[in-house]
Amino acid sequence: GVRLTRRFEFSDSSLTADATLRVTDTIELIDHRLVVRRMYFSSDLQSAYVAAANVYHDDILCPATDLAGYVDELNRTRCVTITREFS
């Protein structure tokens, strides 16, 4: 299996205009037989359901973020952490 842990951190100034949000994702390959070939962050949490249902949804118009740069590390170490910051 695969384990995804997501952590949200708000800056101390979360009530002001210069507030930031840090999102940290840790992806772990629990099953030693798994090998990842491609990995992307989708534009919203429902994207997997939208893709499976093959229906129109506004968020499918937003491009996914290609995480190809993390695939080798994930396969080699079985764990990768990706941090993104939003303001």
Side-chain angles (χ1 to χ4, degrees), residues 8-59:
F8 298 94
E9 297 175 75
F10 296 94
S11 65
D12 290 336
S13 56
S14 61
L15 300 177
T16 65
D18 61 342
T20 60
L21 168 66
R22 177 180 293 150
V23 179
T24 303
D25 292 309
T26 300
I27 303 161
E28 300 172 82
L29 298 182
I30 306 303
D31 185 335
H32 70 278
R33 298 170 295 177
L34 289 177
V35 175
V36 173
R37 292 193 179 110
R38 292 183 295 177
M39 190 165 59
Y40 297 87
F41 273 138
S42 62
S43 57
D44 93 7
L45 296 176
Q46 300 298 321
S47 295
Y49 302 110
V50 171
N54 198 23
V55 297
Y56 174 81
H57 192 281
D58 286 341
D59 288 332

